[in-house]
Amino acid sequence: MTNLQKFELCIVGGCGHAGLPLALAFADRGVKTIAYDINQKTIEKIESGFIPFVEEGLEGALKKNLNKTLFLSSNKAVLQEASTLIITIGTPVDEHINPQYTPVMKFIQDVEPLLSEDQTLIMRSTIFPGTMDYIRSFFEEKNKPLSICFCPERLAEGKALEELKAFPQIISAFDERGLESAQKLFSRLAPKTITLSPREAELAKLFTNVWRYIKFSVANQFFMMAEDGGANFNKIWNAMREDYPRAQDFPKAGFAAGPCLFKDTMQLASYYNHKFFLGHAAMLVNEGMPDYIRDTLKKKEPLRKKKIGILGMAFKGDIDDVRESLAFKLRKLLMFEGAQVFCSDEFWDGNQFIEKSEFLTKEELLRQCDIIVIGAPHTAYKRLNFSGKTIVDIWDHIEKNN
Ligand SMILES: NC(=O)c1ccc[n+]([C@@H]2O[C@H](COP(=O)([O-])OP(=O)(O)OC[C@H]3O[C@@H](n4cnc5c(N)ncnc54)[C@H](O)[C@@H]3O)[C@@H](O)[C@H]2O)c1
């Protein structure tokens, strides 16, 4: 027997980087929430009070809300116990860098028999434009007119809980009832909601990430241009921005990586039949940064047998997420040159992808290596003593009196 009143909300993929902060944010606002996930091991960890990744504020929110307003389950039957479902499962790209439609579609086909027309289904994973039309047609063919919405996630990892409460939420739906439920739900969290059509919302989500990716590529291209011409990019960056409002959003150089920006740029390229030249150009520049570092080092001296340390393996500063991190690409390129490469990180424990002997503490890495490359700008590296070392810091992260 189903009981749609047991929970107000079910977050599907509720143990993930997008799902868990969302579940906790709603639970913290008093929404009785069930986080459903297929990963039973992670559920058990979370139930014992452990947050499986670095994300500000989650531990406190979990302590406060677990088994009061937040519950967890790996039993699919809980999908029948909430009036609103939010889907946050992963949406990867394949080996041709085209979106994989199957995870979302398989999920929808799999759970359809459990769902009823009284429910509201909110997609939140980043999706290929047109996916919402597919989902609507799918349920129409099943004669199950549940409300279908798309309310994209636009948060930065590490700051999700804070940003969920600070930023407006884009909402979209195919019917008035869906729009009303999404509006009512997200008004309990976000300062305001902004309504678009489902296709507009799909594109708004991708445009948001791709805009950032392209901006990073501009900074990275200018960085290479300046440094190759013997000029200091960071001095130019500071001068361009000083008291000049129109350049304030000009980012610094760095590795533009992680599970979203590159993938979303490729989704948009695929959507536009691979005529998204700007996106492909951004990809070439951003993905070329590790090559640029290798080439710059190689120009100075042969890298064979050199001991090179990469400080920071996460895809950005002060988080532990190494998914699609360019620090790993750099490691591979340097190893191919015959260098002996060591890695370190403040948050990631080095237990995957590399040999145990390659992973050192930052102190040991500094002691053993002659060349140090900042792979992720963790705060802990800002004031380290690098004297006597060749240091590569494309991010301009290290304090200069070092
Ligand atoms: N990580 C972010 O900060 C972020 C930001 C914006 C958008 N997104 C988008 O959110 C989506 C999820 O990304 P993520 O980083 O949270 O991924 P993730 O891998 O951290 O989380 C996905 C979760 O879904 C679970 N899962 C997978 N298939 C499932 C199924 N069939 N039923 C129930 N649970 C299932 C997994 O076990 C995992 O816990 C992606 O589309 C991503 O692009 C993520």
Side-chain angles (χ1 to χ4, degrees), residues 201-221:
E202 287 172 333
L203 287 172
K205 163 62 204 180
L206 289 180
F207 287 173
T208 305
N209 271 5
V210 176
W211 170 237
R212 259 165 78 70
Y213 193 67
I214 290 172
K215 279 205 291 192
F216 289 139
S217 76
V218 172
N220 285 334
Q221 180 88 84

Side-chain angles (χ1 to χ4, degrees), residues 17-167:
H17 290 79
L20 185 58
L22 186 69
L24 278 167
F26 275 119
D28 205 43
R29 289 279 158 102
V31 179
K32 195 173 173 198
T33 301
I34 177 90
Y36 162 67
D37 203 290
I38 48 174
N39 193 334
Q40 176 60 25
K41 268 196 183 146
T42 308
I43 289 185
E44 282 162 21
K45 280 186 186 168
I46 297 170
E47 280 180 330
S48 70
F50 175 80
I51 299 289
F53 42 81
V54 175
E55 186 67 62
E56 245 174 68
L58 291 200
E59 248 166 51
L62 181 65
K63 210 176 239 175
K64 187 172 151 211
N65 299 300
L66 185 65
N67 296 328
K68 294 185 186 105
T69 45
L70 180 82
F71 301 84
L72 295 113
S73 176
S74 61
N75 182 352
K76 217 163 34 180
V78 295
L79 295 180
Q80 297 171 295
E81 297 180 335
S83 50
T84 303
L85 311 169
I86 302 186
I87 318 302
T88 66
I89 62 176
T91 46
V93 286
D94 65 15
E95 68 276 24
H96 306 290
I97 326 183
N98 286 325
Q100 281 185 35
Y101 318 106
T102 34
V104 167
M105 292 176 183
K106 232 180 131 270
F107 167 78
I108 296 290
Q109 287 160 7
D110 188 35
V111 300
E112 179 276 325
L114 297 173
L115 305 184
S116 76
E117 61 185 57
D118 299 328
Q119 289 176 295
T120 299
L121 180 80
I122 301 179
M123 285 302 299
R124 190 161 175 82
S125 305
T126 307
I127 47 176
F128 186 71
T131 304
M132 292 309 295
D133 289 331
Y134 167 87
I135 297 174
R136 177 170 67 164
S137 314
F138 175 83
F139 283 106
E140 269 173 9
E141 279 165 23
K142 298 278 173 196
N143 255 332
K144 218 175 240 186
L146 69 170
S147 292
I148 299 164
C149 315
F150 178 54
C151 302
E153 145 108 31
R154 295 190 299 160
L155 311 169
E157 244 181 88
K159 301 266 175 225
L161 206 54
E162 179 190 324
E163 292 189 356
L164 275 165
K165 294 173 186 169
F167 291 170

Side-chain angles (χ1 to χ4, degrees), residues 146-366:
L146 69 170
S147 292
I148 299 164
C149 315
F150 178 54
C151 302
E153 145 108 31
R154 295 190 299 160
L155 311 169
E157 244 181 88
K159 301 266 175 225
L161 206 54
E162 179 190 324
E163 292 189 356
L164 275 165
K165 294 173 186 169
F167 291 170
Q169 175 63 50
I170 289 175
I171 59 169
S172 70
F174 287 113
D175 64 347
E176 271 309 313
R177 188 183 66 147
L179 211 50
E180 243 174 62
S181 340
Q183 213 276 334
K184 214 167 133 199
L185 182 68
F186 280 104
S187 298
R188 293 175 73 173
L189 206 57
K192 69 172 174 183
T193 58
I194 301 168
T195 303
L196 291 177
S197 73
R199 180 58 63 94
E200 287 163 349
E202 287 172 333
L203 287 172
K205 163 62 204 180
L206 289 180
F207 287 173
T208 305
N209 271 5
V210 176
W211 170 237
R212 259 165 78 70
Y213 193 67
I214 290 172
K215 279 205 291 192
F216 289 139
S217 76
V218 172
N220 285 334
Q221 180 88 84
F222 288 174
F223 174 87
M224 294 187 248
M225 215 179 258
E227 301 289 321
D228 281 347
N232 181 321
F233 172 77
N234 292 313
K235 273 173 76 182
I236 300 172
W237 184 88
N238 281 317
M240 279 174 65
R241 293 176 72 257
E242 190 171 324
D243 299 333
Y244 191 71
R246 283 196 289 275
Q248 292 310 303
D249 66 342
F250 178 30
K252 281 191 174 170
F255 286 159
C260 292
L261 299 190
F262 171 80
K263 174 194 80 167
D264 292 354
T265 306
M266 292 304 102
Q267 301 228 32
L268 202 54
S270 175
Y271 168 70
Y272 205 50
N273 298 325
H274 295 281
K275 287 181 295 179
F276 182 31
F277 306 119
L278 201 53
H280 280 288
M283 187 262 276
L284 292 176
V285 173
N286 288 332
E287 288 288 308
M289 285 307 272
D291 304 70
Y292 180 79
I293 292 175
R294 177 212 44 209
D295 293 345
T296 309
L297 287 170
K298 240 173 105 173
K299 268 186 219 155
K300 289 187 192 143
E301 55 187 330
L303 299 181
R304 192 153 188 80
K305 297 238 156 58
K306 281 272 161 217
K307 287 188 169 180
I308 306 181
I310 305 178
L311 259 186
M313 300 304 291
F315 79 79
K316 65 175 186 176
D318 294 335
I319 62 164
D320 64 345
D321 195 345
V322 295
R323 291 178 295 172
E324 319 306 328
S325 167
L326 284 174
F328 287 87
K329 181 171 181 177
L330 175 65
R331 168 182 166 268
K332 206 157 72 179
L333 294 174
L334 296 173
M335 284 167 82
F336 196 67
E337 293 297 322
Q340 198 180 352
V341 183
F342 294 95
C343 307
S344 185
D345 198 273
E346 292 307 288
F347 302 96
W348 177 64
D349 59 13
N351 269 338
Q352 269 176 304
F353 314 125
I354 61 170
E355 296 296 324
K356 249 191 162 52
S357 56
E358 268 183 75
F359 192 76
L360 305 176
T361 62
K362 57 180 177 300
E363 293 80 11
E364 193 56 25
L365 185 119
L366 273 171

